């Protein structure tokens, strides 16, 4: 059987449980377990202070912990930012005159 652990923010547990049940219903043999020991950080806001935060999403982890799919909005925005860094540099600083053409 294909099994994985799903980690989410504490405030999203109800929605994630619903999505997990739907995924299990659509995928024969899939068994998802909600991580009840570790949660993703809470959403940003006045109650969170300066601590780490998470806008939303989930992390899906293999049962042995060797594979992690970080699918939180924060992780996806980080990847998008890093992929667009060359274009952002050019917009902010102009074309690099020393770059090989």
């Amino acid at each position: 059987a294909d099994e994985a652990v799903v980690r989410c923010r504490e405030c999203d547990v109800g929605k994630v449980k619903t999505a997990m049940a739907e995924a299990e219903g659509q995928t024969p043999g899939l068994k998802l377990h909600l991580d009840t020991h570790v949660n993703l950080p809470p959403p940003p806001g006045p109650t969170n202070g300066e601590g780490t935060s998470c806008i939303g999403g989930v992390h899906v982890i293999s049962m042995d912990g060797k594979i992690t799919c970080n699918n939180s909005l924060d992780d996806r925005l980080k990847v998008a930012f890093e992929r667009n860094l060359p274009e952002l540099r050019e917009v902010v600083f102009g074309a690099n005159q020393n770059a090989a053409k």
Side-chain angles (χ1 to χ4, degrees), residues 1-4 23-33:
D2 294 324
E3 296 186 58
E24 288 174 335
Q26 293 176 358
T27 310
L30 178 64
K31 182 64 183 154
L32 298 173
H33 307 274

Side-chain angles (χ1 to χ4, degrees), residues 45-53:
T47 58
N48 192 24
E50 296 296 319
T52 59
S53 63

